[in-house]
Amino acid sequence: MNLFAGLEKFGFKSTEEVDLFAEEKSSAKEAGEEVEKKAEEPKEEEFLLEKSIRCIVCDKVFKTKVVKSGKAKRLEPDPDLRPRHLYIDTLKYDVSSCPYCGYTALNRFFEHLTSAQIKLVKEQVCSNFKAGVQSTNPTNDYDKAIEMHKLSLLNAMVKKAKTSEKAYNCLIISWLMRGKIETLDPSNSEEKEKIESLRKEEETFYEQAYDGFIKAISTEMFPICGMDSSTMDYLLAVMSMHFKKYDIASKSLANVITSPSASRKIKDKALELKEEIIKELKQKK
Ligand SMILES: [Zn+2]
């Protein structure tokens, strides 16, 4: 249809098909591109600050990088609650490691050591620890972050930490592997190999985390690693589903759905997951 038919009398030559909004679209696009160019991606270090802390084991002061609170924009977390932020993976910075003696722990646990635990760390970590070259990088890359979290897990074992602390540490390592995988390109054959081996490691740590949490909920009091019982039940449901343990998944979800204290948001997530389980079980039959 010719939109401008009838205007010939005004001296406008009738054209056949026109796209009324063609120019508008392209100019809007150009404007959009300009905006994008202007707003450059912020660098990871802009979200960080250096904090000095005193090592509770060797009493020396060292610097650690922490994420400025409230600066990074939260994105929708993964189904298993792995937190995600725009421009930065904050999980890389939730650990502190003393470069002098090797004592390392997740930040939330770093300062909470009994004197008996300090003794264990001194005997089994500090005495063997070889100080590496201190990194001058303004940010932690995934390899560095994974290394620090593994060192933190080793410390947790040595100091006979609670089951939940070790499980949580494993969960974060598996999440870091997942984060690293997201930075690799599966169409590149070398990186594809890396992805495969990282997936295996991610799975191993995920399983350790799962076994640990299952044990922790029957031996520890809530909150566990900052999680209330509904959050933990929901997390366990997602993980149970991953390991195809549908009975545990259903039980954990029922706990969330019937809990008088669970928030609407987590209940909705639980109901969604319940539908998924029902679907998966139907497909299996
Ligand atoms: Zn130290």
Side-chain angles (χ1 to χ4, degrees):
M1 185 192 146
N2 177 12
L3 290 174
F4 300 108
L7 295 186
E8 297 84 356
K9 62 181 176 198
F10 299 110
F12 298 110
K13 214 176 115 194
S14 140
T15 48
E16 284 171 31
E17 292 287 317
V18 291
D19 182 349
L20 197 58
F21 305 108
E23 204 183 331
E24 205 176 299
K25 251 192 272 167
S26 74
S27 61
K29 201 180 154 211
E30 275 162 30
E33 274 169 3
E34 196 132 314
V35 170
E36 265 171 44
K37 249 184 241 167
K38 269 186 197 158
E40 250 182 64
E41 271 194 22
K43 286 190 184 133
E44 188 163 319
E45 49 258 52
E46 290 171 33
F47 296 94
L48 302 172
L49 52 92
E50 278 207 327
K51 201 177 131 193
S52 293
I53 48 177
R54 186 174 293 278
C55 175
I56 191 169
V57 174
C58 73
D59 209 36
K60 288 194 172 114
V61 174
F62 68 94
K63 280 184 176 154
T64 186
K65 300 178 189 86
V66 292
V67 180
K68 290 178 191 166
S69 65
K71 177 120 166 71
K73 188 176 175 244
R74 269 176 185 278
L75 300 172
E76 185 64 27
D78 279 352
D80 64 1
L81 306 176
R82 170 192 166 223
R84 289 171 61 248
H85 291 86
L86 195 61
Y87 306 125
I88 183 170
D89 186 347
T90 55
L91 290 173
K92 292 194 288 184
Y93 301 97
D94 70 350
V95 68
S96 296
S97 181
C98 173
Y100 302 107
C101 76
Y103 171 56
T104 307
L106 298 178
N107 292 340
R108 65 165 63 239
F109 302 114
F110 193 82
E111 283 176 15
H112 308 288
L113 277 191
T114 63
S115 49
Q117 286 178 315
I118 292 178
K119 191 165 171 271
L120 286 170
V121 171
K122 278 186 177 163
E123 283 167 5
Q124 294 174 54
V125 178
C126 307
S127 63
N128 297 312
F129 180 70
K130 289 192 185 75
V133 182
Q134 279 193 46
S135 158
T136 52
N137 288 345
T139 58
N140 291 346
D141 61 18
Y142 274 107
D143 290 338
K144 166 88 178 161
I146 289 168
E147 189 185 279
M148 283 168 79
H149 280 82
K150 285 187 177 175
L151 197 55
S152 144
L153 182 62
L154 178 99
N155 272 268
M157 245 178 64
V158 164
K159 74 183 183 192
K160 301 191 197 303
K162 280 187 185 170
T163 306
S164 59
E165 181 177 337
K166 290 180 277 186
Y168 191 62
N169 202 139
C170 288
L171 181 65
I172 291 177
I173 295 176
S174 72
W175 281 345
L176 285 168
M177 307 266 172
R178 197 184 300 167
K180 187 177 175 190
I181 289 169
E182 286 168 0
T183 67
L184 297 171
D185 173 12
S187 65
N188 171 316
S189 67
E190 209 175 290
E191 294 193 6
K192 195 174 169 227
E193 257 176 53
K194 260 192 215 160
I195 291 174
E196 277 162 19
S197 81
L198 279 166
R199 278 261 178 260
K200 275 185 204 146
E201 249 191 299
E202 179 193 352
E203 191 68 14
T204 305
F205 282 103
Y206 208 59
E207 205 170 353
Q208 292 288 320
Y210 180 68
D211 292 347
F213 282 139
I214 290 282
K215 204 173 150 199
I217 52 165
S218 61
T219 54
E220 295 179 27
M221 302 278 283
F222 283 99
I224 292 178
C225 303
M227 287 182 272
D228 61 19
S229 63
S230 306
T231 308
M232 177 62 92
D233 272 321
Y234 173 76
L235 172 63
L236 283 177
V238 179
M239 294 179 89
S240 300
M241 203 167 148
H242 174 84
F243 293 115
K244 307 207 180 306
K245 297 190 172 169
Y246 298 106
D247 48 338
I248 303 179
S250 304
K251 220 165 82 189
S252 308
L253 284 179
N255 289 345
V256 180
I257 294 162
T258 59
S259 160
S261 61
S263 68
R264 187 70 256 164
K265 201 175 165 200
I266 196 115
K267 281 192 183 190
D268 286 344
K269 272 174 171 288
L271 287 167
E272 258 173 54
L273 192 63
K274 194 181 159 192
E275 289 301 311
E276 267 180 62
I277 295 183
I278 293 169
K279 229 189 271 171
E280 248 184 60
L281 287 174
K282 266 189 195 152
Q283 277 169 358
K284 265 180 68 185
K285 276 177 191 163

